Amino acid sequence: MTTTEAVPTSAPPARPGLLGRLRGHVDLFLNAGSLMATTAITSLFGFAYWWLAARTASAEAVGQASAAVSAMTLIGTIGMFGMGTMLISDLPRLTGRRWELISTCLLVAGSAATVGGLIYVAVAHLAVPGLQHALGSPAATVLLVFGIALNAVTLVLDEALVGLLAGPMQLMRNAWFSVLKLVLLGALAVLPFTLTGGTLLLTWVAGMVLSVAVLGRALRRRGMVDSARPRLELLRGRGQATFDHNLLNLATYLPRAALPLVVTAVLSAEANASFYTAFMVTSFLAMVPGNVALTLFAVAAGDRAALRSKVRVGLVICLVTGLPASIFIAIFARPVMGLFGSGYAASAGAALTILALTYLPFVFHHFFLAISRVQGKVRGAGIFSVFAGVAELVAAWYGGSRGSLTELVGWVAVVMAVEMILVAPTVLRVVLPSGRADAAELPEGTMSATRLTLHERAWLPLEYIRTVGPLTGVDAGRIRAALIGLHAADPTHRAVSRLDREGGRWLHLDSAAFADFVTEAVTDLGDDTDFDAMTRRLQAEPRADHPVRILAGGGYVAMKVAHAYGDAGPVNTLLREIVRAAGEERAAVIAPMPRVFALPRAWWHTFGKHPSKWGDALRSAQSSVRSGAAAGLRMARTPHFELGETRPWAADLTVRTARSADVLGKMRQWRDQYAPGVTTSAITFAAFTAALSDLGLRPDTSGATFLADGRRYLPAGVAVESNFCFGPWLSPASLTDPLAIHKTLKGKLATGGMLTMMLLRESKLAVTGAPGMPAPYPGEAPADPTARLTFSNQGRHDVLADLPWAIEAAHRVNQSVPTLNGPEGITLTTSEMGEVLHVEATFHASTFDPALVARALELVCADPAALIMAASAR
């Protein structure tokens, strides 16, 4: 579509202030605020409750009571069976029978929790002696089962009130519960008898009963309850959603609720007293992301378009309020635990420090869950959380079995950190900009735009030419038609988008604009065309806004592709499909490359999983950094060479090419006899260096730049858009010795150090920015030039074997040519196709004699072994 800007006829509206911006998130603040206030009150009074319990009851009694409360919370959550989350989702859409659905869910949850409580008691008596001891007397056991059922009911009831947008009502109930249980404990503490675990549990259950009674009276006074008769038929059609929500709820809460039970079973009730106290402190922090995430689900489930802004605001709330507090608690963990007694500080001070540092994993995990709910990916998130929960419990059991509470908590923290790494991409994809530009910023004829990635911007100044032929049935008109078909199927494909170098964007054109664009991108040169001239014409053309520029004529196709689109692999895929589609008179079909964080993944796959290689990464980083802040951003690539005496110079980039159908066989025969295991590319590089020396072109034999593909370091199945190669400067013992080149290159690639160099380069670009065009050529060059060599092996191009070739393989043209080189640079590009070696040398004719360079290529294709043997004899 075409967009225009209206001319303002009055003063523009004032930019909204902070309150105006926040007004759009009132629902998030109110709902999350209600939930956080509830958690704050329950945590504050819970802190006071356990502080008083620790001062008035024995550590054993506190441990038994905390284990019972953990069981109530754990099994009560299981008993909810996703009913609460389902009510939050469904109640706003119901016009009647709301309380009938609520009461039905309360009945189901209470019944399921009762069964769960009985199972817990049986398991404790039969299999876990530590938990059996924590149950206490038979009366305490009965009270525990009742408390488990009641806790499930109140949990579902609270979430139902959230679904009814009656947050203050659930806040009131929880406030009464917190106050009443503390008052009851205080009353019992002044009585002349010993407080047991069962007594402490009684105050907890009594507080729940009384709080529900207060809530019921308040609801009746306000006329909020119509008919509360349970109707099981109301659950029909809600089973699948309820199951998915339940799976996610259980998998999320299970490890946190079960951790005190694991501590009790593996260590002791006394150790659990210290752990539960520390855990309660950090639970106060975790309320922030937990409640904000639950509110995100409530307010964004019906408005996915608002998800990004809601998540951003939610993250700000969590990070601004919770992160400083978690750091404070981590630093002052021992004094905080000392508030409960000196014994608690000694036994759980270090554990509280570790737990406080898990706040950030809590944030990312809760937001991952909320986003998954809103995006309808509840089951997938549930399955992930199941494995994560099991991993946390196994880690706790393993750490506790080593006899230390600190080790137990440390192992759990490690697992949570791994979870954060796994879920962070889901959260960040929502939070970070999508890359789409506003319609008002787009040029005429542009439908949308996508920002270039940092990796694409890094390669923006460079281009790459591929020239092939002769072909049958391929001309400029058919190529345009193939590209128009690709655009019709996917107008956002980078191959059919305009490359905005200045703005760093892919501009996606409408059909009318693309019709003009493709006419400019594909030029018909007629039948009387020389393929080398086609390549040199593309070399001479200035960089423009075409990511793909094509010349066609005489059965040949020359295609110049921006490196921002891709290197040899993606370009060959593009070339093959365009030529085949043109020959078959159909639309080109090219799957878009996924945008993935390939470089970090490759680095982690190479170094993160193999700590033994960390030294290699460090040495690569050290070798690439110079002293000083500014110099610290420079990459250690080609060394700086003094110019010496200079002369006026003007760029005249050109290329010379050669090919041979029998030289590869000669190379392999010589290699098997003199240098087993050496690659044919190393032989070609050495022979070319020797040829230049023989012809008096004085190559620099101290080293050269070797371009290498970084895809070798990627995990299996990971594809990369754009360019993924790097050119380290290497110094083999001899540039005319294939074995020395092979060993040096192989050793460098084995370390993976080039990945560190690539990361440093992109870090530099993130700070300094990436140029859209290459730096201008100098006006002077050395009067006596030395050839600075760059070697690039393109590998096998047999993927092009099914093009509509007009002649046999030995006579086919298959050129791979760069479009940039320094005044003294000579870039040798090699490739193999159909057992034919193709070589191209790119250089400036204003520096080196093209006839001599062409002769060097002819010598390489004629007898490379003779060149190498002669050089070794000198």
Side-chain angles (χ1 to χ4, degrees), residues 90-345:
D90 288 7
L91 284 176
R93 298 194 295 266
L94 292 179
T95 56
R97 293 189 170 185
R98 289 182 171 184
W99 278 98
E100 291 183 352
L101 178 60
I102 293 173
S103 61
T104 303
C105 292
L106 296 180
L107 176 62
V108 173
S111 301
T114 300
V115 174
L118 294 174
I119 294 175
Y120 170 77
V121 171
V123 171
H125 276 282
L126 299 176
V128 187
L131 294 181
Q132 179 183 2
H133 176 71
L135 288 176
S137 65
T141 302
V142 173
L143 183 64
L144 173 61
V145 174
F146 176 72
I148 288 172
L150 183 59
N151 189 61
V153 170
T154 56
L155 289 173
V156 173
L157 182 59
D158 287 344
E159 294 193 359
L161 293 171
V162 173
L164 291 172
L165 301 181
M169 302 302 293
Q170 63 85 24
L171 173 60
M172 180 196 69
R173 189 203 71 78
N174 282 283
W176 275 105
F177 166 60
S178 300
V179 172
L180 288 171
K181 73 174 186 288
L182 180 60
V183 170
L184 290 173
L185 176 61
L188 292 177
V190 300
L191 296 178
F193 64 84
T194 302
L195 293 177
T196 65
T199 307
L200 297 178
L201 178 61
L202 177 62
T203 63
W204 201 279
V205 174
M208 282 195 292
V209 172
L210 294 175
S211 68
V212 172
V214 172
L215 174 65
R217 184 176 181 182
L219 292 174
R220 285 193 298 272
R221 284 185 174 181
R222 289 168 173 77
M224 296 179 63
V225 180
D226 41 22
S227 172
R229 180 180 178 182
R231 294 180 180 272
L232 294 177
E233 62 269 17
L234 293 177
L235 297 180
R236 293 174 183 169
R238 293 186 168 94
Q240 186 66 59
T242 301
F243 175 82
D244 290 342
H245 283 298
N246 184 55
L247 175 65
L248 182 53
N249 293 342
L250 295 183
T252 303
Y253 199 80
L254 178 64
R256 280 76 178 181
L259 276 176
L261 304 180
V262 174
V263 175
T264 302
V266 178
L267 297 177
S268 66
E270 289 78 6
N272 185 51
S274 300
F275 170 78
Y276 191 82
T277 306
F279 192 66
M280 181 264 298
V281 174
T282 54
S283 295
F284 182 78
L285 294 174
M287 75 162 182
V288 179
N291 290 329
V292 171
L294 182 61
T295 304
L296 279 174
F297 171 52
V299 302
D303 185 11
R304 294 192 179 187
L307 180 61
R308 173 169 282 111
S309 62
K310 301 296 183 185
V311 171
R312 287 175 175 173
V313 173
L315 278 176
V316 170
I317 294 172
C318 294
L319 296 179
V320 170
T321 60
L323 190 57
S326 67
I327 295 174
F328 176 86
I329 291 177
I331 296 174
F332 298 101
R334 289 185 67 87
V336 171
M337 292 301 298
L339 297 174
F340 299 89
S342 58
Y344 287 84

Side-chain angles (χ1 to χ4, degrees), residues 4 47 59 145 193 429 450-451 601 604 635:
T4 59
F47 179 91
V145 174
F193 64 84
R429 275 194 294 268
T450 303
R451 293 183 180 89
R601 291 182 67 175
W604 175 256
M635 302 298 116

Side-chain angles (χ1 to χ4, degrees), residues 646-733:
T646 62
R647 63 178 176 88
W649 180 84
D652 186 10
L653 193 67
T654 189
V655 63
R656 292 298 181 265
T657 67
R659 60 183 179 273
S660 173
D662 57 6
V663 71
L664 289 174
K666 295 179 181 179
M667 287 185 183
R668 293 172 185 137
Q669 184 178 3
W670 178 86
R671 174 191 63 190
D672 294 342
Q673 183 176 0
Y674 294 100
V678 170
T679 61
T680 56
S681 60
I683 297 173
T684 306
F685 298 159
F688 183 68
T689 306
L692 293 178
S693 297
D694 291 347
L695 294 170
L697 292 181
R698 300 179 57 243
D700 176 15
T701 57
S702 66
T705 299
F706 292 81
L707 296 179
D709 192 344
R711 289 174 177 83
R712 70 186 72 236
Y713 303 110
L714 286 169
V718 177
V720 182
E721 87 290 352
S722 185
N723 197 306
F724 205 67
C725 69
F726 191 76
W729 169 269
L730 302 179
S731 298

